[in-house]
Amino acid sequence: MKYKIVPTVCDGCHEQCGVLVHIKDGKVVRIEGDPSNPQNEGKLCPKGFASIEMLYHPNRHKYPLKRKGEKGEGKWERISWNEALQSIADKLKEIKEKYGPLSIAAGVGDRVRALDATLGFLYAIGSPNLFHADSHFCYFPGLLAERCTYGSYITSENGPDFRYSKCIVIWGANPPASHPMRAREIMIAKRKGAKLIVVDPRFTEIASKADLYLQIRPGTDAALALGMLNVIIDEGLYDKEFVDKWCIGFDKLKKRVEEYPPKRVSEITWLSEDEIIQAARMWATNRPSTHYTRIGVQMSVNVVQAIRAISIMIAICGNLDIKGGHILSNKPKGFKSLLEIITKELRLPPELEDKRIGAKEFPLMCSSHSLATNLCHPPSVIHAILTGEPYPVKALWALNDILLALEDSEETKKALLSLEFFVGSDFFMTPTLELCDVILPPCSYLERDEVEDLFYLNFVGARQKVIEPMYETRDDRWMDFEIIKRMGLELPTEWKTIEELNDYRVKGMGITFEELKKKRYVMEPIRYKKYEETGFNTPSGKVELYSSILEKFGYDPLPSYTENPETPVSAPELAKEYPLILITGHRHIAYFHSANRQIPWLRELCPYPYLEIHPETAEKLGIKDGDWVWIETPRSKDKRVKQVAKLTEAVHPRVVAAPSHWWYPERKEPDHGCWESNINVVTSNDPPYDPISGSTPLRCGLCKVYKVEE
């Protein structure tokens, strides 16, 4: 019997935890957290433990497949890799020659698999049209806002120094469900005496641990942040020395926040004046302090200004790049981060990037001036496929479940069906893959080598394959490189293979990828106040409370509040028919977006999509706990979806909360039940959007709920 333990890095979600994989006679028999890895220190969530079931699941894709019947009919035939790759290369070459390179797009999602290689694939073709399934409301709007302010994104997974913080604000996030290792660090700080403030329309797991819980009206986050700034500035609770030396625009900011006294903010947010004042004082007087903002803040038409206000709060209280505050990028010297590769090295000429879908409407997100990453605006990609504007998109290479992830599932399906050529890669047959022409089988993280750093603050880790790829599965990056070669193109970089890419990313550190695997990870000692040596990565070199970048592009250079377009305040007549505010998308610890519902014991943790509704509201509607209920919205175009009512006081009586990405892999029909319960069936792909980032108001629209009678 041969037995060995191999360290690697989990890819079950964005946490990227270190794991030890036990292998017996060539088979993975156990997975546990790696105590030596600083990301998780031996801890692991259910998704990580389920990696074995994913690896050996009988329904995972094993071989390349070609559509046999009509699109969406569910008929497939196995083909060889040679036939698959050559047919893809030939068809893409044909489309490129007929319509031009801009007609080819690619989409990534969920685990951000092969983002660098997929962007390289488009780079070789000459197309700027890469999109992430939720780039317009997850991570990237925050990245844009904070880069306008101090040049770095440090309020998400990467940046808050929770363990040494004395006050932590969790804003629009529930890390025990979505990022459990961050939750662990928060609880470590809490045990050491840190104060905890939670801002969320839902009373979440993390809210139950809070010293102060603020049940805010959905979509009013910018108003609350401006109200807290009002208190902090009015009472002189900010760091005057830091503001004088390192900030510009303070006087203009002070004048702006005078427009948001606690009384006005209370009327906007449903919070009391006392709660607003208490939150501002608690955070500003218990330093060092941190904020953790996530997707709950970013699904509105006011997201960039909301996160601008939050980031300004961090800055003027002196919490930048100090122990227990927000640490600026601290990667090992010489390392090539994924973000650096995709935002600096894989850049097409500006005239091409300015043709990217969404570039004209959202230049700071999508054009050559992008402060986020070089990605398209996803709703606009769907519209371009359907309308041919600004130009036709005829081919798509997708590494995610677009149909479940994007707003307005019906419109998305029409777009995918209208493509001349659609290639997909995913671990299981999904509603999206059922619409493809060719499906390629990817290997799991246990079967591939790569460098991991996405949400690591000051270290990089080695994800190494613990077994050879099973069946005929392949690394997604290998697929990209092979298609490029077969199209007669070349990637103009130092790396053209997986091995070269892995070595390229670490060679500046003076090591090879093989050496990194032996080390497991390389850690850089954290250095504080690096801005004293280099300044901030902004045009002025200082924290820009008044943003010169936003001003240059015609946006308000100071944060402000805008009421969302479909609320009881902005649309009172509509609210008579649709009286409830709908928030969508909260994650469960068992799932990562649409993934993992095939795993029996994970499915047992959350077998159905549960709509959270207040008991008082449910009683008025004749709904009992466990009833199936219909959800309709003003934008659902005569569509409705059903979910299971979960009666809970965790939500306000005027709010309901629906999980997203729901489908039923056990269903045999090609759509796998995705039209029954996926909340995106009743959301909209259309404007209005956040004017800067293109975000959609998925957590502050209106709906009505009623019992399923049949």
Side-chain angles (χ1 to χ4, degrees):
M1 180 184 76
K2 294 183 178 180
Y3 195 98
K4 61 179 179 179
I5 301 175
V6 182
T8 189
V9 177
C10 180
D11 193 23
C13 73
H14 288 152
E15 289 276 84
Q16 314 295 339
C17 295
V19 292
L20 299 176
V21 183
H22 296 244
I23 303 168
K24 179 180 178 181
D25 294 333
K27 184 174 182 178
V28 177
V29 295
R30 182 184 175 192
I31 293 178
E32 60 183 343
D34 182 356
S36 75
N37 190 291
Q39 178 76 343
N40 58 310
E41 297 177 330
K43 310 304 178 185
L44 206 58
C45 80
K47 294 184 292 292
F49 288 116
S51 300
I52 297 178
E53 283 87 348
M54 294 281 285
L55 179 67
Y56 294 115
H57 199 288
N59 294 337
R60 72 173 286 197
H61 278 129
K62 303 176 180 68
Y63 316 103
L65 299 174
K66 181 174 70 174
R67 175 171 56 83
K68 192 174 182 181
E70 296 296 319
K71 283 192 176 185
E73 193 177 350
K75 295 181 180 179
W76 302 91
E77 63 178 331
R78 177 180 172 181
I79 57 176
S80 68
W81 268 105
N82 183 61
E83 180 182 353
L85 293 170
Q86 196 59 51
S87 65
I88 294 169
D90 291 345
K91 189 63 179 178
L92 292 180
K93 191 173 181 180
E94 175 191 323
I95 289 172
K96 182 187 176 194
E97 292 172 354
K98 185 176 180 180
Y99 301 103
L102 300 183
S103 65
I104 300 172
V108 297
D110 286 1
R111 295 171 176 82
V112 200
R113 300 181 352 255
L115 183 58
D116 41 16
T118 306
L119 190 57
F121 159 79
L122 288 173
Y123 188 103
I125 290 173
S127 171
N129 289 324
L130 175 71
F131 69 97
H132 189 282
D134 52 10
S135 58
H136 54 315
F137 54 68
C138 177
Y139 185 79
F140 301 101
L143 177 60
L144 188 165
E146 292 185 43
R147 282 192 164 178
C148 285
T149 309
Y150 34 63
S152 299
Y153 187 30
I154 51 175
T155 66
S156 187
E157 285 74 46
N158 198 349
D161 191 17
F162 291 128
R163 292 196 186 199
Y164 303 102
S165 181
K166 292 184 179 178
C167 186
I168 300 167
V169 178
I170 307 298
W171 203 317
N174 184 30
S178 59
H179 299 90
M181 299 311 144
R182 303 290 76 75
R184 177 172 174 264
E185 292 183 356
I186 292 163
M187 288 300 100
I188 289 172
K190 190 88 172 69
R191 286 197 297 269
K192 291 162 64 176
K195 300 292 185 182
L196 178 62
I197 304 169
V198 174
V199 183
D200 202 306
R202 298 171 63 231
F203 186 75
T204 59
E205 291 95 330
I206 196 71
S208 70
K209 307 297 182 183
D211 295 278
L212 178 61
Y213 169 56
L214 304 180
Q215 192 168 45
I216 191 171
R217 175 164 71 93
T220 63
D221 306 280
L224 175 58
L226 287 161
M228 291 175 68
L229 279 169
N230 175 287
V231 174
I232 290 168
I233 293 174
D234 184 60
E235 297 186 3
L237 303 179
Y238 58 94
D239 186 328
K240 297 178 180 64
E241 182 180 351
F242 182 84
V243 168
D244 290 343
K245 187 174 182 180
W246 288 105
C247 298
I248 59 172
F250 182 77
D251 289 341
K252 293 177 180 178
L253 172 71
K254 182 178 180 180
K255 187 174 181 180
R256 171 60 57 85
V257 302
E258 287 173 357
E259 301 172 20
Y260 297 90
K263 185 177 187 302
R264 181 192 175 199
V265 173
S266 173
E267 293 167 353
I268 294 171
T269 61
W270 291 352
L271 301 170
S272 70
E273 291 182 57
D274 286 344
E275 286 176 315
I276 296 162
I277 294 168
Q278 184 183 358
R281 289 173 178 170
M282 184 181 293
W283 189 78
T285 59
N286 290 279
R287 301 182 198 162
S289 44
T290 50
H291 268 78
Y292 180 69
T293 60
R294 217 45 190 90
I295 199 168
V297 184
Q298 302 190 27
M299 287 180 165
S300 81
V301 300
N302 204 203
V303 50
V304 173
Q305 297 293 17
I307 296 184
R308 274 271 292 149
I310 293 169
S311 63
I312 285 171
M313 203 185 315
I314 293 166
I316 68 168
C317 288
N319 287 304
L320 287 176
D321 218 20
I322 62 171
K323 187 174 183 178
H326 290 261
I327 311 300
L328 300 172
S329 181
N330 206 111
K331 299 289 186 186
K333 293 177 182 177
F335 175 68
K336 292 283 186 180
S337 70
L338 176 63
L339 199 60
E340 181 180 356
I341 289 174
I342 64 178
T343 59
K344 294 181 180 179
E345 301 188 3
L346 289 176
R347 299 299 296 259
L348 289 161
E351 59 271 20
L352 262 182
E353 293 201 341
D354 288 338
K355 293 180 179 179
R356 181 178 293 123
I357 295 172
K360 181 180 178 181
E361 297 81 2
F362 312 107
L364 289 178
M365 278 290 285
C366 305
S367 77
S368 61
H369 302 285
S370 173
L371 292 177
T373 55
N374 32 347
L375 298 172
C376 299
H377 180 239
S380 297
V381 174
I382 299 302
H383 295 156
I385 295 172
L386 289 170
T387 67
E389 297 293 334
Y391 45 76
V393 174
K394 297 294 184 178
L396 180 62
W397 165 220
L399 279 72
N400 62 318
D401 203 340
I402 298 170
L403 190 58
L404 294 177
L406 291 182
E407 306 93 318
D408 195 339
S409 305
E410 182 178 36
E411 185 178 45
T412 301
K413 181 179 180 180
K414 287 179 181 177
L416 298 179
L417 285 173
S418 71
L419 291 164
E420 285 193 18
F421 193 57
F422 184 21
V423 183
S425 171
D426 214 333
F427 299 115
F428 298 99
M429 185 64 80
T430 66
T432 297
L433 291 195
E434 293 280 12
L435 306 178
C436 286
D437 296 291
V438 178
I439 296 173
L440 302 180
C443 58
S444 73
Y445 81 86
L446 296 166
E447 302 161 293
R448 68 178 191 262
D449 284 328
E450 62 189 333
V451 180
E452 183 48 59
D453 77 300
L454 188 60
F455 289 121
Y456 293 172
L457 174 62
N458 64 324
F459 67 100
V460 298
R463 175 177 290 127
Q464 59 177 312
K465 60 183 175 183
V466 301
I467 60 171
E468 290 300 316
M470 297 173 62
Y471 312 108
E472 292 184 14
T473 63
R474 298 288 187 273
D475 191 312
D476 292 289
R477 295 169 298 169
W478 178 86
M479 301 175 196
D480 287 315
F481 295 141
E482 284 298 311
I483 293 169
I484 289 171
K485 282 190 275 186
R486 288 172 183 252
M487 290 181 71
L489 303 172
E490 187 172 323
L491 190 59
T493 64
E494 291 184 35
W495 43 272
K496 297 175 177 61
T497 67
I498 293 171
E499 294 75 20
E500 289 175 350
L501 174 57
N502 289 339
D503 279 336
Y504 172 75
R505 295 186 64 189
V506 299
K507 75 174 185 177
M509 297 160 54
I511 61 173
T512 65
F513 180 68
E514 286 300 315
E515 291 171 327
L516 179 62
K517 287 199 295 186
K518 293 175 183 176
K519 293 175 179 285
R520 301 191 186 185
Y521 63 87
V522 172
M523 179 177 284
E524 179 81 1
I526 291 180
R527 295 180 297 115
Y528 301 111
K529 296 189 177 182
K530 297 180 285 296
Y531 58 83
E532 292 183 344
E533 304 168 12
T534 61
F536 290 93
N537 186 28
T538 62
S540 64
K542 294 188 176 183
V543 176
E544 299 202 356
L545 312 178
Y546 184 98
S547 171
S548 62
I549 296 174
L550 291 179
E551 183 178 46
K552 177 181 176 182
F553 282 85
Y555 304 119
D556 193 338
L558 292 167
S560 58
Y561 171 70
T562 302
E563 182 72 24
N564 279 278
E566 190 184 284
T567 73
V569 175
S570 58
E573 289 302 312
L574 190 63
K576 291 178 182 178
E577 183 179 356
Y578 299 92
L580 298 172
I581 299 175
L582 173 66
I583 57 177
T584 73
H586 53 273
R587 292 223 305 258
H588 190 279
I589 188 66
Y591 303 134
F592 188 57
H593 302 311
S594 63
N596 300 352
R597 287 169 179 81
Q598 300 89 347
I599 309 301
W601 68 273
L602 290 182
R603 184 67 174 274
E604 288 179 11
L605 297 176
C606 183
Y608 300 107
Y610 294 102
L611 178 77
E612 295 181 355
I613 183 169
H614 195 279
E616 292 177 8
T617 308
E619 184 178 13
K620 292 177 183 178
L621 297 172
I623 295 169
K624 296 180 180 178
D625 193 61
D627 284 347
W628 283 91
V629 295
W630 292 112
I631 309 165
E632 286 187 31
T633 73
R635 299 191 187 191
S636 57
K637 301 175 183 177
D638 300 321
K639 297 287 189 301
R640 60 184 182 177
V641 293
K642 61 181 182 180
Q643 297 189 354
V644 178
K646 179 182 179 181
L647 274 56
T648 173
E649 294 184 359
V651 292
H652 190 279
R654 298 174 67 184
V655 174
V656 291
S660 64
H661 294 79
W662 258 94
W663 63 303
Y664 302 92
E666 65 273 16
R667 300 273 185 89
K668 300 303 180 185
E669 63 270 25
D671 62 29
H672 302 285
C674 73
W675 303 106
E676 287 191 18
S677 299
N678 180 25
I679 198 64
N680 279 328
V681 171
V682 296
T683 61
S684 174
N685 229 359
D686 296 329
Y689 308 120
D690 179 287
I692 306 174
S693 67
S695 303
T696 45
L698 291 179
R699 297 209 180 185
C700 42
L702 297 172
C703 77
K704 60 182 175 182
V705 175
Y706 52 98
K707 186 176 178 180
V708 174
E709 296 294 349
E710 65 266 24

